[in-house]
Amino acid sequence: MEFGQLFFFLVVAMSYVSAIGERNVFQALRAELVSRRFTYHSLFWLTGIISFFMSAVLDNLTTALIMSGVILAVGAGNVRFVTLAFINLVVAANAGGAWSAFGDITTLMVWQAHKVEFFEFFRIFVPSVVNFLVPAAIMHFALPAGRPQVRADDADVKFGGWTICALFALTIAITVGSKQFLRMPPVFGMMAGLALLKAYAWWIARVEVRREAALLATEADRGAAHVGGG
């Protein structure tokens, strides 16, 4: 039963990650970082801080997979920067995943087994920050100078992308609330969030079908007008 609950918990989390990625949210983040004139030092700290807090919601492996693509995109082929940023990413993801019940498989298992309450994980937030900052501060002095070359990398968030992010946050709130106040297994809250995601995905599909039909009708009308005018 415990392994089954853990499995379905992770299935819901990865479903949200997949849906957010399909809506180009992560690609938009990458494009935003690439388009700005950040130095290598700024990018190093930005990717580290984002990884630290992202891993508190997602597991550290998923965070590493997502942010590694961002680092490779913004690094512009600078091997020294990419190497140090990857080290910083791994440290930040593991440090950030320690102070949240959602951050790692082990913390999730401890929370589901009622060994530690959700808000008790926050007690190690400061040690987690120190664990991230000390290695990052040391690597800071080894980073290359300058800034990467700006490249065109446009990526717009698709319809419903930000709403799915909000639904993910609502799912986490439902999960924590049901566990803390109703003493329900966390997997119930996550499965309720999966139902919300499925319902909204159905709505997105209907809207996109309508838009495509309207676009085809408009093109057909233009073609008929052109033929009539000819």
Side-chain angles (χ1 to χ4, degrees), residues 182-200:
L182 302 179
R183 296 298 175 182
M184 295 174 59
V187 67
F188 288 177
M190 294 297 288
M191 294 303 291
L194 182 62
L196 294 175
L197 176 62
K198 288 293 185 179
Y200 190 65

Side-chain angles (χ1 to χ4, degrees), residues 5-61:
Q5 291 181 9
L6 181 63
F7 171 78
F8 285 109
F9 191 103
L10 295 176
V11 164
V12 176
M14 295 306 298
S15 297
Y16 266 103
V17 171
S18 178
I20 292 172
E22 191 275 335
R23 294 287 95 183
N24 282 352
V25 175
F26 299 127
Q27 291 86 339
L29 171 63
R30 180 185 63 188
E32 182 68 18
L33 291 177
V34 170
S35 63
R36 295 181 177 272
R37 295 288 294 173
F38 288 123
T39 64
Y40 285 116
H41 290 80
S42 299
L43 290 171
F44 175 84
W45 285 103
L46 280 173
T47 54
I49 293 173
I50 292 173
S51 301
F52 180 82
F53 287 101
M54 183 182 293
S55 62
V57 180
L58 310 177
D59 63 279
N60 46 23
L61 178 59

